[in-house]
Amino acid sequence: MTFSEFLSLLTIKPLELFFETVYSVANRSTGNVAVSIVMLSLVVNLLVLPLYARADKIQAEASEKQKSMEKWVKHIRKTFRGEERLMMLQTYYRQQHYNPLSVLLESVPLLLQVPFFIAAYNFLSGLEMLKGMPLGSIRDLSAPDAVYMIGSFPVNILPILMTLINVISGMIYTKNQPLKMKLQINGMALLFLILLYNSPSGLVFYWTCNNIFSLLKNIVTEIIKKIKAGRAPAEKTKAENTKAEHAKKSEKWIFFAGAVFLILLLGAYIPTNIIKASTQEFVELSNPQNPLHYVLYSVLYATGTFGIWLGIFYFLARERGRRYFERGIWMVCGIAVTNYLVAGSFMGLISSSLQYSRLPEFGRKKIGLSLLISAAIIALIILIAKKNMAILRAIALAGVFSILILTGINTVKITGDYKKLEYLKSEDGLLPEIPLSRNGKNVMVIMMDRALGTETEYIFKEKPQLKEQFAGFTYYPNTVSFGAYTNFGAPALYGGYEYTPEAMNARIDEPLVEKHDEALKVLPVLFDENDYEVTVCDPPYAGYYWIPDLTIYDEYPDIHAVNTAGRFDEDAPKDAIGKEQIRRRNFYCHSLMKTFPLPLQKYIYDYGLYNELAYRVSAKGNPRFTSAGYNREFLDWYLVLENLSEMTTVREDGNTFLMLTNGATHEPCMLQEPDYVPAKYVDNTEYHQNDEGRYTIDGRTLCMESPDQMIHFDANVASYSELGKWFDTLREYGVYDNTRIIIVADHGRDLHHFDLNTEDGLNVEFFMPLLMVKDFDEREFRIADDFMTNGDTPALAVNGLIENPENPFTGNPLDAHEKQDEVKVFYSDEWNTDINNGNAFLPGKWYTVSKDPYDMKNWNYLGEY
């Protein structure tokens, strides 16, 4: 971070963020760019009105003071010379309690305009939404208006109009003021004309609106002055004088303690609370660094907001105003904590791009509770302030130290977690490679995390060409997984029936992480021992880390293990904002969202964009069919699928085994249809105008009414499409027919595509993963009704290739004999391996399921234990 960036984060960036948020909310509400600019100007002017009013008052007081001393200052200057004059002036100033530096106070209103001008210029001059947007005779708000042309010279009307209004406003403002001030105001108007003459007309329009509001303010101020001038000044009573004296007793440190509390809460505690839950998710494989550096940015944003700008409001306020600030800031602190705690984890899981699995839509009970507690906090602080300020001081002190300690605890945990990721440095320079044999046997186990077996037939109906690309595959719709999340469902997928949740719990003397890692090693070690060239990519939760710890394969030098996610960032769309930039901005935005009143949180969250206008071109749109911005987690995995052909190398002889995991289906996002590709702006409205029958097969309709259902479908279609392209490449290379390919998922998702709920209300689509198998030399695409589980994967992989295959760690046969006609599955939402990492899984719900999992009669709830 450079020093200029540091200063910008403290001063300009908070203003830019405020401008962007106000404009974004206004634009989503009105759908009109010009109206949004007017609303932005109005909100900013109303917000800074007290600031400018107080600054004007300070300026007037300074001018009045100078005017009252002018006679004697002239006399001293005329009468005395040299050092004697200087000494006499200093003595006179001291007697009058005047500091010569106070002359700078006359420039306060002008100085305050500078950061607002810079912030507005930075924001509006680069606002992509303005491109091509007209306003009256102005054709494009992103360019100078050029309404008239004199030869080849453009005449920009808006800057001239802006200056005219500015001059008229200045004439009213500087009425009865010295010539110096009039020159200063008119000089500033001329400067703005020069600076903004060739600027985008959207920016000039904003500043013109500012000048109109300033003109109205000056007119109203003059009217009020005349009304007051016609009245005799009222004599203050003794009680009023006593009250005025009492009002002078402001306590600055109470205000700044509140500011520090908010800086720590929004800038440090909430971000570290997110990071500590899964530190690894916020570490990038391509450039591993401590994620606490994101906290520095959020702290600077918060310091700029509450320490600097709110501090300026405080210092420019009168004594009574300061007292209001001192009490008000602690009311805000209490309300912020209340909203944060009441909202809790209602929005579900959060991604490393700070996007939730659910929108912030709260019920009446939660909103009512937060409002009730907030009202109680306001009343309590008012009461305390009236009765005993010492209590408020104690609350302030305790609040700051409490949040500081909690933040410190989070920081220590994050630092410790990051140190455990030292293994990432050993992966630098490793590039993914998939070796295949033309004359030998190739076996692939491709685990598509959270790929949905419920959607497969409908995807193939949507994309008929997939049947050709997936020729030879058998799809098993009646497949179940043993758990609803990766830590429960993946071990059996990789290791077989010895690694179901029930079987892992039975080995009570061994840590879960060791059993999980053992499952991840079963197939690679078995194939390695049988002279297959083995490649492992992204083994999920290896070492119980989000970024897989590949050192679990270190004792097997012939197993080539590599992590692929994020390795192809250079292939990302050029207009995609990187995770680094997203997190630097949005950690603070996320904190603001979580502490705002519950009904307003959705306006800050903005579908996970946090009002980032670089991604907005339309204010309106059905969230089922439209979206803006890229999902960086999806891109990390999708780009791997795009590069599978580039990663593939072919040799003539030998046998190979590939165990590859990909999370494109786990990080769903809306894609541009009908090609189902990532796009900065997605609008599928037209494509979905006639969906009748589109999602119906043999009378069974796939429910597609929610955005969550739509984005999962999109991500699955895109993944199938990229795999299909890779299979075409394998055909070209002559390695498709001699390759056994198993595409399988560790679990499904409770998307409610169908009415499949257990007696206790659980949607069993959680347990319906994808399973497709292509055996050697198979040519036809088939659908089989066999009852399967993802725990059949190891037996399917080794079938006919390894004689009497055994688990290399237990010596038990590697087959599906334990499945029979019924299996026992486990549900728990404690997917976090930082918490669920003992010797057995934490208690959850158990079910048995048999035969057709789509028939709810085949599901039996056993209880929770």
Short mmCIF file of all heavy atoms in Angstrom, two decimals, residues 798-820:
data_model
loop_
_atom_site.label_atom_id
_atom_site.label_comp_id
_atom_site.label_asym_id
_atom_site.label_seq_id
_atom_site.Cartn_x
_atom_site.Cartn_y
_atom_site.Cartn_z
N VAL A 798 -12.16 -49.81 -9.88
CA VAL A 798 -11.17 -50.90 -9.97
C VAL A 798 -11.73 -52.14 -10.65
O VAL A 798 -10.98 -53.09 -10.93
CB VAL A 798 -10.66 -51.29 -8.56
CG1 VAL A 798 -10.01 -50.08 -7.89
CG2 VAL A 798 -11.79 -51.84 -7.69
N ASN A 799 -13.02 -52.17 -10.92
CA ASN A 799 -13.67 -53.36 -11.45
C ASN A 799 -12.98 -53.90 -12.70
O ASN A 799 -12.83 -53.20 -13.70
CB ASN A 799 -15.14 -53.04 -11.78
CG ASN A 799 -15.91 -54.26 -12.25
OD1 ASN A 799 -15.71 -55.36 -11.75
ND2 ASN A 799 -16.78 -54.05 -13.23
N GLY A 800 -12.54 -55.16 -12.61
CA GLY A 800 -11.93 -55.83 -13.74
C GLY A 800 -10.51 -55.43 -14.03
O GLY A 800 -9.88 -55.97 -14.95
N LEU A 801 -9.97 -54.50 -13.28
CA LEU A 801 -8.60 -54.03 -13.53
C LEU A 801 -7.61 -54.55 -12.49
O LEU A 801 -6.45 -54.84 -12.83
CB LEU A 801 -8.56 -52.49 -13.52
CG LEU A 801 -9.38 -51.79 -14.60
CD1 LEU A 801 -9.29 -50.27 -14.42
CD2 LEU A 801 -8.90 -52.18 -16.00
N ILE A 802 -8.04 -54.64 -11.27
CA ILE A 802 -7.18 -55.10 -10.18
C ILE A 802 -7.81 -56.35 -9.57
O ILE A 802 -8.97 -56.32 -9.14
CB ILE A 802 -7.00 -54.00 -9.12
CG1 ILE A 802 -6.35 -52.76 -9.75
CG2 ILE A 802 -6.17 -54.50 -7.94
CD1 ILE A 802 -6.26 -51.56 -8.82
N GLU A 803 -7.07 -57.43 -9.55
CA GLU A 803 -7.60 -58.69 -9.05
C GLU A 803 -7.73 -58.66 -7.53
O GLU A 803 -6.81 -58.26 -6.81
CB GLU A 803 -6.66 -59.84 -9.47
CG GLU A 803 -7.24 -61.21 -9.17
CD GLU A 803 -6.35 -62.33 -9.68
OE1 GLU A 803 -5.36 -62.02 -10.39
OE2 GLU A 803 -6.63 -63.49 -9.38
N ASN A 804 -8.92 -59.02 -7.04
CA ASN A 804 -9.20 -59.03 -5.60
C ASN A 804 -8.75 -57.73 -4.92
O ASN A 804 -7.90 -57.75 -4.01
CB ASN A 804 -8.54 -60.22 -4.92
CG ASN A 804 -9.01 -61.54 -5.49
OD1 ASN A 804 -10.20 -61.71 -5.78
ND2 ASN A 804 -8.09 -62.48 -5.67
N PRO A 805 -9.29 -56.61 -5.34
CA PRO A 805 -8.82 -55.33 -4.78
C PRO A 805 -9.12 -55.21 -3.29
O PRO A 805 -10.21 -55.58 -2.83
CB PRO A 805 -9.61 -54.30 -5.59
CG PRO A 805 -10.85 -55.03 -6.04
CD PRO A 805 -10.41 -56.46 -6.28
N GLU A 806 -8.15 -54.69 -2.56
CA GLU A 806 -8.30 -54.50 -1.12
C GLU A 806 -7.92 -53.07 -0.74
O GLU A 806 -7.07 -52.45 -1.38
CB GLU A 806 -7.40 -55.48 -0.34
CG GLU A 806 -7.78 -56.93 -0.51
CD GLU A 806 -6.84 -57.85 0.28
OE1 GLU A 806 -5.78 -57.35 0.76
OE2 GLU A 806 -7.17 -59.04 0.43
N ASN A 807 -8.57 -52.60 0.30
CA ASN A 807 -8.20 -51.30 0.87
C ASN A 807 -6.77 -51.40 1.37
O ASN A 807 -6.47 -52.23 2.24
CB ASN A 807 -9.17 -50.98 2.02
CG ASN A 807 -8.92 -49.60 2.62
OD1 ASN A 807 -7.78 -49.15 2.73
ND2 ASN A 807 -9.99 -48.94 3.02
N PRO A 808 -5.85 -50.60 0.83
CA PRO A 808 -4.43 -50.72 1.23
C PRO A 808 -4.17 -50.39 2.70
O PRO A 808 -3.08 -50.68 3.21
CB PRO A 808 -3.72 -49.74 0.30
CG PRO A 808 -4.77 -48.79 -0.16
CD PRO A 808 -6.05 -49.55 -0.17
N PHE A 809 -5.13 -49.82 3.38
CA PHE A 809 -4.92 -49.41 4.78
C PHE A 809 -5.60 -50.36 5.78
O PHE A 809 -5.17 -50.47 6.92
CB PHE A 809 -5.42 -47.98 4.99
CG PHE A 809 -4.75 -47.00 4.10
CD1 PHE A 809 -5.36 -46.54 2.94
CD2 PHE A 809 -3.46 -46.55 4.38
CE1 PHE A 809 -4.73 -45.64 2.10
CE2 PHE A 809 -2.82 -45.65 3.55
CZ PHE A 809 -3.44 -45.20 2.41
N THR A 810 -6.69 -51.02 5.35
CA THR A 810 -7.40 -51.92 6.26
C THR A 810 -7.31 -53.38 5.83
O THR A 810 -7.56 -54.27 6.64
CB THR A 810 -8.88 -51.53 6.36
OG1 THR A 810 -9.52 -51.75 5.10
CG2 THR A 810 -9.04 -50.07 6.78
N GLY A 811 -7.00 -53.62 4.55
CA GLY A 811 -6.93 -54.98 4.04
C GLY A 811 -8.28 -55.57 3.71
O GLY A 811 -8.36 -56.73 3.30
N ASN A 812 -9.34 -54.80 3.86
CA ASN A 812 -10.68 -55.31 3.57
C ASN A 812 -10.97 -55.21 2.07
O ASN A 812 -10.46 -54.32 1.39
CB ASN A 812 -11.72 -54.54 4.36
CG ASN A 812 -11.58 -54.77 5.85
OD1 ASN A 812 -11.26 -55.87 6.30
ND2 ASN A 812 -11.81 -53.72 6.64
N PRO A 813 -11.86 -56.10 1.57
CA PRO A 813 -12.19 -56.06 0.13
C PRO A 813 -12.81 -54.73 -0.25
O PRO A 813 -13.60 -54.16 0.51
CB PRO A 813 -13.21 -57.21 -0.02
CG PRO A 813 -12.95 -58.10 1.15
CD PRO A 813 -12.51 -57.23 2.27
N LEU A 814 -12.46 -54.27 -1.43
CA LEU A 814 -12.97 -52.99 -1.92
C LEU A 814 -14.12 -53.29 -2.88
O LEU A 814 -13.94 -53.43 -4.09
CB LEU A 814 -11.86 -52.22 -2.64
CG LEU A 814 -12.09 -50.72 -2.82
CD1 LEU A 814 -12.13 -50.00 -1.49
CD2 LEU A 814 -10.98 -50.12 -3.68
N ASP A 815 -15.32 -53.44 -2.31
CA ASP A 815 -16.48 -53.73 -3.14
C ASP A 815 -17.71 -53.08 -2.54
O ASP A 815 -17.63 -52.34 -1.57
CB ASP A 815 -16.68 -55.25 -3.30
CG ASP A 815 -16.79 -55.95 -1.95
OD1 ASP A 815 -17.34 -55.33 -1.00
OD2 ASP A 815 -16.34 -57.11 -1.83
N ALA A 816 -18.86 -53.38 -3.13
CA ALA A 816 -20.11 -52.75 -2.68
C ALA A 816 -21.01 -53.74 -1.97
O ALA A 816 -22.23 -53.58 -1.93
CB ALA A 816 -20.83 -52.15 -3.88
N HIS A 817 -20.42 -54.76 -1.33
CA HIS A 817 -21.24 -55.82 -0.73
C HIS A 817 -22.06 -55.31 0.46
O HIS A 817 -23.07 -55.91 0.82
CB HIS A 817 -20.35 -56.99 -0.29
CG HIS A 817 -19.55 -56.70 0.95
ND1 HIS A 817 -18.38 -55.96 0.92
CD2 HIS A 817 -19.76 -57.04 2.26
CE1 HIS A 817 -17.90 -55.86 2.14
NE2 HIS A 817 -18.72 -56.50 2.98
N GLU A 818 -21.64 -54.21 1.08
CA GLU A 818 -22.34 -53.72 2.27
C GLU A 818 -23.59 -52.92 1.92
O GLU A 818 -24.38 -52.59 2.80
CB GLU A 818 -21.40 -52.85 3.11
CG GLU A 818 -20.22 -53.62 3.70
CD GLU A 818 -19.36 -52.73 4.58
OE1 GLU A 818 -19.93 -51.85 5.25
OE2 GLU A 818 -18.13 -52.91 4.59
N LYS A 819 -23.77 -52.59 0.65
CA LYS A 819 -24.89 -51.72 0.30
C LYS A 819 -26.22 -52.45 0.42
O LYS A 819 -27.14 -51.95 1.09
CB LYS A 819 -24.72 -51.21 -1.13
CG LYS A 819 -25.88 -50.30 -1.56
CD LYS A 819 -25.64 -49.73 -2.93
CE LYS A 819 -25.57 -50.80 -3.99
NZ LYS A 819 -25.48 -50.23 -5.35
N GLN A 820 -26.33 -53.60 -0.17
CA GLN A 820 -27.59 -54.35 -0.21
C GLN A 820 -28.72 -53.45 -0.74
O GLN A 820 -28.54 -52.72 -1.69
CB GLN A 820 -27.89 -54.94 1.17
CG GLN A 820 -26.79 -55.90 1.64
CD GLN A 820 -27.02 -56.43 3.02
OE1 GLN A 820 -28.00 -56.12 3.68
NE2 GLN A 820 -26.11 -57.28 3.48
#
